[in-house]
Every structure is written in C-alpha cells, then in structure tokens.
C-alpha cells in the first residue's frame, strides 16, 4: 500500500526528475541564446566592418576623382598657355619678318 515513506520517496524522485529536466531544458535554451547572441554579435561586427570599408572606399574614390580632375584642369590650362605662347611667338615672328622687308 501507499505509505508516507513511499509517497515521500516518489515525490522526491519526481522533484529530482523535474529539476534535472528543467535544468537540461534551461541549459539547452541558454546555449541556444548564447549561440544567437554570438551570431548577432558577429553579424553586427561584420556589418560595422563592411560599413567602414565602404566609407573608406568612398573617400578614396572621391579623392581619386578630385586628383584626376585637377590633373585634367592643369593639362588644359597648360595646353591653353602653350597655345597662347605659340600664337604670340608666331605673330611676333611674322611682324618681325614684315618689318624687315
């Protein structure tokens, strides 16, 4: 029959089983949460690194475009100055030739 000792032992076994089962479930859930947090941290870190890389590339591209534009402007100004000097030299030479005749 059911005695107080049997009921107490059964209750203890049930309680121990419940605690163990709850502990395993919580542990598994905690591991899952840890994995999710770790994954989220890695994802955020990678996103931050990618954003920094994109910003750096944008800055480098902007500087490269500015450099190329400055070089083109310098070459254009140099060509214009050379053309102007050439025309002036040709006109001076022509005028000197007319003066000598």
């Amino acid at each position: 029959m059911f005695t107080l000792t049997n009921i107490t032992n059964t209750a203890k076994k049930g309680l121990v089983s419940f605690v163990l089962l709850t502990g395993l479930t919580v542990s598994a859930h905690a591991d899952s949460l840890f994995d999710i947090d770790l994954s989220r941290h890695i994802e955020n870190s990678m996103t931050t690194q990618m954003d920094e890389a994109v910003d750096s590339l944008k800055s480098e591209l902007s500087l490269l475009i500015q450099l190329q534009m400055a070089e083109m402007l310098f070459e254009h100004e140099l060509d214009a100055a050379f053309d102007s000097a050439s025309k002036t030299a040709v006109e001076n030479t022509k005028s000197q030739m007319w003066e000598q005749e």
Side-chain angles (χ1 to χ4, degrees):
M1 286 251 174
F2 291 108
T3 62
L4 186 56
T5 307
N6 286 343
I7 294 173
T8 307
N9 286 338
T10 304
K12 285 181 186 178
K13 289 178 186 177
L15 184 60
V16 169
S17 296
F18 175 75
V19 168
L20 288 176
L21 182 61
T22 304
L24 291 174
T25 304
V26 169
S27 176
H29 186 67
D31 288 343
S32 174
L33 289 177
F34 178 74
D35 290 343
I36 290 171
D37 288 343
L38 182 60
S39 297
R40 190 173 296 138
H41 176 70
I42 291 171
E43 183 179 327
N44 289 340
S45 178
M46 289 177 65
T47 301
T48 302
Q49 289 177 357
M50 292 297 289
D51 288 344
E52 289 172 357
V54 167
D55 289 342
S56 175
L57 288 174
K58 283 180 183 178
S59 298
E60 289 179 22
L61 181 61
S62 176
L63 290 174
L64 182 62
I65 290 171
Q66 290 175 11
L67 177 65
Q68 288 178 346
M69 289 178 69
E71 287 177 352
M72 289 172 49
L73 183 60
F74 177 75
E75 289 175 1
H76 177 71
E77 291 292 324
L78 187 63
D79 287 344
F82 182 72
D83 288 345
S84 176
S86 294
K87 286 180 184 177
T88 304
V90 169
E91 289 176 7
N92 287 343
T93 305
K94 284 182 181 178
S95 66
Q96 287 176 356
M97 290 174 76
W98 284 107
E99 289 174 2
Q100 290 177 355
E101 290 181 5

